[in-house]
Amino acid sequence: NPPVKSAGCGKALGVISKSGTYQISSAGGRGSYIINMPSGYDKDTPYRLIFGNHCMGGSAIKVAGTDNGLDQSAHFYHIKTQADKDNVKAIYVALQGDGSGGWSAPNDLTFWNDVLTLVEKNLCVDTTRVFVAGFSFGAMFSYALSLQYPEKIRAVATYAPANWNFYQPTNRKIPIAYYQTTGTSDGTCKWINNDAQKTGGKYCLLQHAQDNGCNANVEIKLATGGTHVTTEFTGCKEGYPVKFSSFKGGHDCRAYDQGSNTNWIEVETWAFFKQF
C-alpha cells in the first residue's frame, strides 16, 4: 500500500532533533529510549519505524550499538545492517527496560505506545509500516505488544518468545504479520512448555496463525540437522503472513547454518519486514 504519513511529516525538527537518548514521561516513571535517525533525514519522507526490544540483562544501548560483531542484539538485532545493505533508510528505536534489563507489564506496553505516539507526532513516519523485534524477554514483550497493539504494528519478529511467564493482553484476534524463531533445544523459552495449557513458543506461533486465518493443518518443520528449516503457513489473510524458522540449537537470536558465516535470522527478518 502507499505510505500513510504521520502527523510529524512536514514538521521542522524540534522535540526529537537528532539521533540520541531521550526521556519521556510515561507509566511507571520509565521513559528512556534511544532513537536512530537516517542520515539526510527528510521531513517530507515517511520512513519505516523499527523497534528493537532488548533481552533480560540487555539494554537499549546494546540494541542501538554499532554492528561490531561483539553483541548479538546490536544494530537493532542487525536488522539495520541488512537494511543498510539494501540502502533502505528507516527510523529505529530502542526502549530501555528496568534496572535488571527486564520489562514490566502493563506499564511498559503503555511506555512503548507513548514513544510511538511521540515519534509519529514529531518525525515523518509511515504509520502503516511500524515493525517490532525482540529476543527472549524482549520477544515476550514484543509478543505482548502484538496482542495489545495489532492495529499499530505491521509486523513482529520474535526470537525465542514465551507465553507463560509474562503478561498476556486480551487477544482480540486481530491479524498481524508474524515471524518467529525458536531453537529445538531451547530450555529457557521452550518450544513446548505445556501442551495441555497451550504454553510454549509453539503456541505463540499457532495463536497468530489462527488469528490470521491460516491453514491449521500445516506441518510445522523442526530442524534435525545443521541447516535451519522454515515453515510458511498457507491460507492466511492477504497481507498477513505467518512464518517460522526452526534451528538445531538453544536460546539464541543469532544462528548460522553449517558451513556458513552469515546469521540467517537477521536476513530472514529483514526479508520479512521488507516485503511490506
Side-chain angles (χ1 to χ4, degrees), residues 145-146 149-150 153-156 174-178 208 212 240-242:
L145 289 172
S146 75
Y149 300 111
I153 303 171
R154 186 63 185 89
V156 172
I174 297 173
I176 182 173
Y178 184 73
H208 277 306
N212 290 13
Y240 297 99
V242 174

Side-chain angles (χ1 to χ4, degrees), residues 17-184:
S17 59
K18 60 182 179 179
S19 298
T21 302
Y22 292 86
Q23 297 287 332
I24 183 175
S25 177
S26 185
R30 185 124 66 246
S32 175
Y33 65 97
I34 296 175
I35 192 163
N36 185 301
M37 293 172 59
S39 60
Y41 170 80
D42 179 1
K43 63 182 177 61
D44 297 310
T45 296
Y47 295 94
R48 288 177 171 87
L49 177 59
I50 301 174
F51 286 83
N53 296 322
H54 64 72
C55 64
M56 174 66 79
S59 67
I61 292 174
K62 289 182 178 181
V63 171
T66 303
D67 187 0
N68 57 12
L70 300 179
D71 193 291
Q72 57 188 3
S73 67
H75 241 207
F76 300 86
Y77 291 100
H78 305 270
I79 296 168
K80 188 176 187 305
T81 305
Q82 296 300 318
D84 287 350
K85 288 179 181 179
D86 286 341
N87 198 30
V88 175
K89 293 184 176 182
I91 298 170
Y92 297 86
V93 175
L95 305 182
Q96 178 57 50
D98 62 27
S100 64
W103 301 96
S104 300
N107 283 356
D108 281 346
L109 279 74
T110 301
F111 170 33
W112 178 88
N113 187 54
D114 288 346
V115 172
L116 172 66
T117 300
L118 183 72
V119 172
E120 290 185 338
K121 183 179 179 181
N122 289 279
L123 297 178
C124 194
V125 171
D126 180 355
T127 61
T128 65
R129 290 178 174 86
V130 176
F131 305 93
V132 175
F135 166 57
S136 191
F137 207 158
M140 298 177 210
F141 182 46
S142 298
Y143 182 74
L145 289 172
S146 75
L147 298 179
Q148 183 79 10
Y149 300 111
E151 304 97 328
K152 299 184 178 185
I153 303 171
R154 186 63 185 89
V156 172
T158 61
Y159 316 130
N163 64 347
W164 71 89
N165 47 7
F166 188 65
Y167 173 78
Q168 297 294 294
T170 299
N171 182 16
R172 292 173 288 135
K173 302 187 182 301
I174 297 173
I176 182 173
Y178 184 73
Y179 175 60
Q180 177 182 318
T181 68
T182 300
T184 55

Side-chain angles (χ1 to χ4, degrees), residues 183-218:
T184 55
S185 58
D186 190 334
T188 303
C189 295
K190 302 174 183 177
W191 172 240
I192 296 175
N193 182 60
N194 187 307
D195 272 325
Q197 297 175 6
K198 294 186 176 181
T199 57
K202 175 181 178 180
Y203 294 100
C204 295
L205 178 68
L206 290 178
Q207 183 63 72
H208 277 306
Q210 180 183 28
D211 294 346
N212 290 13
C214 306
N215 181 1
N217 296 320
V218 170

Side-chain angles (χ1 to χ4, degrees), residues 179-185 191 220-225 227-231 243-249 255 257 264:
Y179 175 60
Q180 177 182 318
T181 68
T182 300
T184 55
S185 58
W191 172 240
I220 301 174
K221 302 173 186 175
L222 297 180
T224 57
T227 302
H228 76 284
V229 294
T230 297
T231 300
K243 185 175 180 179
F244 170 67
S245 294
S246 170
F247 62 99
K248 194 173 181 181
D257 287 336
W264 57 262

